[in-house]
Amino acid sequence: MAKKRGSKREALKRTYREIFGYPARGIEGALGLLCALFAVEAFPGFDAQRLVPMGLFVPMMTLVYFALIRLLSWLAFRLFPRIFGRPHRILLLLFLAYALIGPVVRAVSSRGSISRGLEEALILGPIFLVLVLGGLFASLFLDKKGHPLPGALFLLALLCQGAFLYFLASPGLDRAPKQAIGIDFANGPLEETYQVEKIAYGPGQALDFGTTSLSHRAGAKGWVAKVRKALLGYDLAHVPYQGVLYLPKGQGPVPLLIFAHGNHNMLEDNALGYDYLGKSLAQAGFAFASIDASGFNGYMGKGVGKENDGRALLQLRHGARLLEASQDPDSPLYGRLDPEGLVVGGHSRGGEAAAIAALFNSLEVLPDDGTRENPGPLPIKGVLAVAPTWGQYQPADKDLVLEGPSYLLIHGSHDQDVTSTQGLSQYKNLQPGPGGFKASLFVGYANHGLFNEKWGALDKPLPSGALLNRADFLSGHDQKKVLAVYSRAFMEALFREGDRAIFYQAQAQKDLLPPSLYYSQYQPAEVEVLADFEEDLDPLRGTLPESQVQKKGLYLFKEGGYPFKREVSKNHVLTLKGGQGAFWGLDFPARDLGEGLGLDLGRADKGHKAPILVLRDQAGQEAQLDLAQVKPLKDPMEVGLLKVQHITGQWDKKGSLETFILDRQKIQAANPGLDLEKITSIQVQVPPHEKIYLDNLLFLKEVP
């Protein structure tokens, strides 16, 4: 009996040595650490960015993954000893490491300017050398019972490993070249005219509108649907009307902005991330509703697909319920909301959904399902889109073209989620109604997530989030300040005839805005289009009937989409570059200038001069205007979204077109003899050897 017990002990010892006693344990430990860093979403129940501190999460998950890898390795060795002997196991583990990190490289390769090969060398090289070799040195140290050489190598590997982990955990570097960002911006406090009343509505609240069904627009299937319902407490067939309403205390009726968040961890309090914006608007005398659309969001890499049309319907239904409550004498909202004053807005996918909501609101039935009626029409006067996506939903498989509401687009240069200004495609496809306008603001050094207080600086979850550079961001406080200032100005312009100058030139509110770079586009509703390069494929013809293009000295002259990094927008522009005396011009039948002339310009590279604009009338009188005297034509920014770009110095170029406006007085001052009611020609003199973009040459019926 004693011999049998001894043999069992020996078997247990052998099993223990097989699991934990091979030199390959160092590689397996390194793989456990790699999994903890780069395979977070593969482990159910954890969101490393929000729920568990990284300092605790990484060692805990390293042990969990190490144990799993050792168990699988031992089972493979026991079942197939000839295949999974020690040398083969090491090769297999190295291959597993490459297979694990490969998707990480591919996930971030679209966000930098460096080549795929260099990126693999910079990312895979340190991982293999530091983690795998470090594990081998540790094994040698243990096997040799404290021999100094492998021990020293082991310590060196630990130092390198610590440095590499610090590189992954750190916010990165701030080495991208910086342009002057306007030291005259004062960043002063916003006015607080009214006290704020905050009302939460939804299940269990005094204000409860019940639920609505949106399962016909999106949904999950199988076990994913069951898990989502268990965690959320509802499915898309029973979405609760849930949100937070901010009101100026004791005031009413006031205009309302309904705001929808975008895709983020569905268990996060996403709607509460705009608490600062709701308070700011309420202090200025407006109502703000931040709605909970988390039922459409993803969790652990699983979402419900292209669901922005569902977000849009949810936004409309929230608006309908809130406005109805404001007309109900028994409701606590009675008389608080303006029945004719509504703006829809959103962030990320919520920004695209806001434009979709405005489109749905103009139709009696859904464009791709004529059996379903819309909850409108609601009095939507404007759309506010913050870092929006575009094109995830296409009505009846067509681009979304919108007429009626005004539009404000805000996007950051350092957005590492929606990496190009996709909302410019919606900007181009929107025609505001009488008295309205559309505007775009490209904010230097702003990222995606810091516009929401709950999302933080990581625009991507791990693993790719560890490789993103965050050190050069505009602070969260300043990004929120920018959105608050422009949201107030948008509501003031729509409902109180507020000054629109800020949408054309950020300097108009320099006392409130933080120092940064601001690229502004603006277009009022009432314009006469001379050339917007959208009408046909002939670059020698303008948009205006009977107009004709003239050019001289250009060695680059083409129409095409405004370029983003690795993609182009739906907005078409004219690209020009030439030598000394080069120009592009447009001749047309005599036209009245109106209240002013507007055009959009942008640089492709660093430049030194702004174009000269030449206007000629029917009698041959001429006026020359230096656009540098209107406002500076900014260079594109040099941006590094990845940490490795701040090491290699290979930057992405990001920027935006900017609107230049010359009113009648400024043009007339250049030549009092110019007949502004009989303009027949406009020339744009291109700075020598500088590549520029031109768009939206317009006669304006009003100027900001």
Side-chain angles (χ1 to χ4, degrees):
M1 179 69 76
K3 185 176 181 181
K4 190 173 183 180
R5 283 198 297 268
S7 63
K8 285 184 177 180
R9 279 197 296 270
E10 289 299 320
L12 288 172
K13 288 180 180 178
R14 265 196 320 273
T15 301
Y16 178 84
R17 286 195 297 270
E18 287 175 357
I19 297 176
F20 296 105
Y22 285 90
R25 65 177 173 265
I27 298 177
E28 291 159 348
L31 282 176
L33 180 58
L34 290 179
C35 287
L37 291 169
F38 295 110
V40 176
E41 294 182 356
F43 195 86
F46 285 95
D47 181 342
Q49 182 182 342
R50 309 304 302 169
L51 303 183
V52 182
M54 286 299 293
L56 172 64
F57 179 84
V58 170
M60 179 177 65
M61 293 308 301
T62 298
L63 292 175
V64 171
Y65 279 119
F66 170 72
L68 290 174
I69 291 169
R70 286 298 285 157
L71 179 61
L72 292 174
S73 179
W74 173 72
L75 287 174
F77 175 74
R78 294 290 292 174
L79 296 174
F80 308 102
R82 294 185 179 181
I83 298 176
F84 293 102
R86 185 181 302 176
H88 296 88
R89 288 174 67 197
I90 293 174
L91 291 175
L92 181 66
L93 290 168
L94 290 174
F95 174 78
L96 178 59
Y98 181 85
L100 180 66
I101 303 304
V104 179
V105 176
R106 289 189 290 274
V108 299
S109 62
S110 63
R111 280 184 284 280
S113 60
I114 58 179
S115 68
R116 170 75 182 274
L118 179 58
E119 204 164 67
E120 288 192 351
L122 289 170
I123 297 174
L124 293 178
I127 288 174
F128 281 126
L129 290 176
V130 173
L131 299 180
V132 176
L133 292 180
L136 289 175
F137 291 148
S139 298
L140 288 172
F141 176 67
L142 295 174
D143 286 349
K144 297 294 184 180
K145 297 182 179 180
H147 192 280
L149 179 59
L153 292 173
F154 174 50
L155 290 176
L156 178 62
L158 283 179
L159 290 174
C160 293
Q161 179 173 309
F164 182 66
L165 291 178
Y166 174 78
F167 173 76
L168 291 177
S170 73
L173 303 167
D174 187 5
R175 294 181 177 175
K178 271 191 165 57
Q179 296 173 238
I181 59 175
I183 58 174
D184 57 336
F185 283 87
N187 204 5
L190 285 168
E191 186 178 354
E192 299 179 8
T193 306
Y194 303 100
Q195 291 184 322
V196 178
E197 183 179 355
K198 184 176 176 180
I199 301 174
Y201 63 91
Q205 304 291 337
L207 197 60
D208 186 354
F209 300 122
T211 65
T212 185
S213 176
L214 292 163
S215 58
H216 61 288
R217 305 309 295 182
K221 297 180 180 179
W223 67 269
V224 174
K226 294 178 181 178
V227 170
R228 291 178 63 86
K229 185 175 181 179
L231 292 172
L232 284 171
Y234 63 86
D235 56 24
L236 290 181
H238 306 87
V239 180
Y241 288 103
Q242 190 163 281
V244 184
L245 182 64
Y246 301 80
L247 294 158
K249 197 168 186 178
Q251 302 299 308
V254 296
L256 169 66
L257 168 57
I258 297 181
F259 201 84
H261 62 78
N263 188 40
H264 194 68
N265 175 16
M266 71 179 187
L267 299 185
E268 184 64 86
D269 293 326
N270 296 292
L272 295 181
Y274 308 102
D275 183 73
Y276 72 95
L277 185 56
K279 290 177 179 177
S280 178
L281 285 168
Q283 287 165 353
F286 300 104
F288 177 85
S290 181
I291 70 170
D292 185 359
S294 294
F296 292 105
N297 285 12
Y299 183 69
M300 304 306 301
K302 299 292 184 180
V304 296
K306 294 184 176 181
E307 75 295 334
N308 283 349
D309 50 330
R311 293 180 195 270
L313 285 174
L314 181 63
Q315 204 167 12
L316 289 176
R317 292 175 184 178
H318 271 261
R321 300 290 87 73
L322 290 170
L323 291 181
E324 287 170 3
S326 182
Q327 301 299 308
D328 182 0
D330 297 327
S331 170
L333 296 184
Y334 180 62
R336 304 296 301 277
L337 303 176
D338 183 352
E340 296 301 321
L342 182 63
V343 173
V344 289
H347 180 195
S348 194
R349 295 193 191 188
E352 180 180 349
I356 300 170
L359 172 71
F360 286 173
N361 188 64
S362 67
L363 305 172
E364 292 186 12
V365 296
L366 298 180
D368 46 13
D369 187 355
T371 66
R372 295 183 183 272
E373 295 183 357
N374 278 323
L378 300 176
I380 294 177
K381 308 299 183 185
V383 176
L384 170 61
V386 182
T389 57
W390 186 83
Q392 292 191 14
Y393 171 74
Q394 292 185 302
D397 300 320
K398 299 176 182 178
D399 287 349
L400 197 157
V401 177
L402 191 57
E403 295 183 4
S406 294
Y407 185 71
L408 175 60
L409 164 67
I410 298 175
H411 204 106
S413 65
H414 284 57
D415 193 314
Q416 297 162 324
D417 185 355
V418 184
T419 55
S420 60
T421 315
Q422 295 183 17
L424 285 176
S425 294
Q426 188 61 67
Y427 179 92
K428 170 249 180 182
N429 282 339
L430 184 141
Q431 176 56 45
F437 66 95
K438 58 182 178 180
S440 169
L441 178 71
F442 187 72
V443 186
Y445 308 104
N447 80 317
H448 192 82
L450 287 175
F451 287 115
N452 183 304
E453 291 180 305
K454 298 292 184 179
W455 291 3
L458 275 180
D459 284 353
K460 290 288 184 182
L462 298 174
S464 55
L467 301 174
L468 299 176
N469 199 79
R470 310 185 302 279
D472 50 354
F473 286 174
L474 200 62
S475 71
H477 172 273
D478 286 348
Q479 284 191 210
K480 291 183 291 185
K481 183 71 169 297
V482 171
L483 180 53
V485 169
Y486 272 84
S487 298
R488 281 188 175 194
F490 192 51
M491 298 293 283
E492 292 277 358
L494 292 181
F495 300 108
R496 297 176 183 166
E497 298 184 355
D499 188 3
R500 300 183 183 182
I502 186 176
F503 304 114
Y504 161 66
Q505 173 62 283
Q507 290 286 131
Q509 290 286 359
K510 65 180 182 180
D511 292 339
L512 297 178
L513 291 171
S516 188
L517 287 171
Y518 299 96
Y519 300 73
S520 302
Q521 287 180 260
Y522 173 85
Q523 185 174 315
E526 289 81 17
V527 300
E528 182 175 27
V529 180
L530 305 179
D532 63 7
F533 313 106
E534 305 289 348
E535 72 285 343
D536 56 34
L537 301 176
D538 187 354
L540 295 178
R541 186 164 56 192
T543 307
L544 192 69
E546 302 180 45
S547 61
Q548 197 69 33
V549 168
Q550 305 294 332
K551 61 186 178 67
K552 176 184 175 183
L554 297 172
Y555 49 81
L556 179 58
F557 168 61
K558 67 175 184 178
E559 294 182 9
Y562 180 73
F564 297 131
K565 182 64 183 174
R566 306 196 183 201
E567 59 181 299
V568 295
S569 73
K570 293 286 187 177
N571 180 46
H572 294 89
V573 300
L574 185 66
T575 305
L576 303 170
K577 191 174 184 179
Q580 194 71 35
F583 71 83
W584 173 91
L586 191 67
D587 296 340
F588 45 85
R591 283 290 195 280
D592 186 346
L593 177 77
E595 292 301 314
L597 171 69
L599 70 162
D600 292 345
L601 289 170
R603 279 200 174 106
D605 301 292
K606 290 183 178 180
H608 304 285
K609 295 182 179 180
I612 303 294
L613 206 62
V614 180
L615 278 71
R616 187 176 293 111
D617 67 12
Q618 196 171 43
Q621 288 287 324
E622 190 175 278
Q624 292 194 11
L625 299 114
D626 185 354
L627 293 179
Q629 303 301 314
V630 178
K631 68 177 184 179
L633 179 59
K634 299 182 186 71
D635 295 335
M637 298 178 64
E638 293 180 305
V639 176
L641 300 185
L642 299 173
K643 293 174 183 176
V644 292
Q645 289 180 264
H646 288 256
I647 297 173
T648 62
Q650 299 187 42
W651 313 114
D652 296 331
K653 289 183 179 178
K654 289 194 169 189
S656 174
L657 297 173
E658 289 197 272
T659 299
F660 288 74
I661 294 177
L662 300 100
D663 60 27
R664 289 180 69 95
Q665 291 75 20
K666 191 181 294 283
I667 296 172
Q668 198 75 78
N671 180 359
L674 186 69
D675 188 347
L676 299 184
E677 295 180 359
K678 294 182 179 179
I679 302 297
T680 59
S681 174
I682 297 175
Q683 282 186 8
V684 178
Q685 296 183 356
V686 181
H689 313 296
E690 292 186 16
K691 182 178 175 182
I692 65 168
Y693 304 114
L694 171 66
D695 196 14
N696 296 323
L697 185 61
L698 312 168
F699 283 159
L700 309 178
K701 306 303 180 185
E702 61 95 3
V703 295

